[in-house]
Amino acid sequence: MKFKEEGTYDSSGAQAKYYTTVGGDVITSLYKLDPESNSQLTITEYNSESNTIKGNFTLTMVQEYSNPETEINLLNITNVKFKVTISN
């Protein structure tokens, strides 16, 4: 997603994925954004001098793959807060 300014951005398609692993190298499950749900990233503060962004995001993800099979078909990741520094 291209950052423009403070505000709320809808997430869709392949903009986010979540996976679990065994030993850090074998993927045991894979989740993608749920196209039926509203996933968003909100930029609450942008400082151009320090190149920092603050905000939060909410994602709803649906299971694409799992081995072994799990009954967790839907992940709701809510109100995650972040602060990042952008590097050129």
Side-chain angles (χ1 to χ4, degrees), residues 17-36:
K17 292 201 178 209
Y18 174 82
Y19 61 90
T20 59
T21 65
V22 172
D25 63 349
V26 177
I27 295 176
T28 56
S29 66
L30 176 63
Y31 293 82
K32 64 180 182 177
L33 287 173
D34 182 359
E36 304 297 318

Side-chain angles (χ1 to χ4, degrees), residues 6-7 15 30 39 43 48-49 54 58 67 80:
E6 294 173 359
Q15 290 180 321
L30 176 63
S39 294
I43 307 290
S48 60
E49 291 180 17
K54 289 183 182 180
T58 298
N67 185 17
V80 178

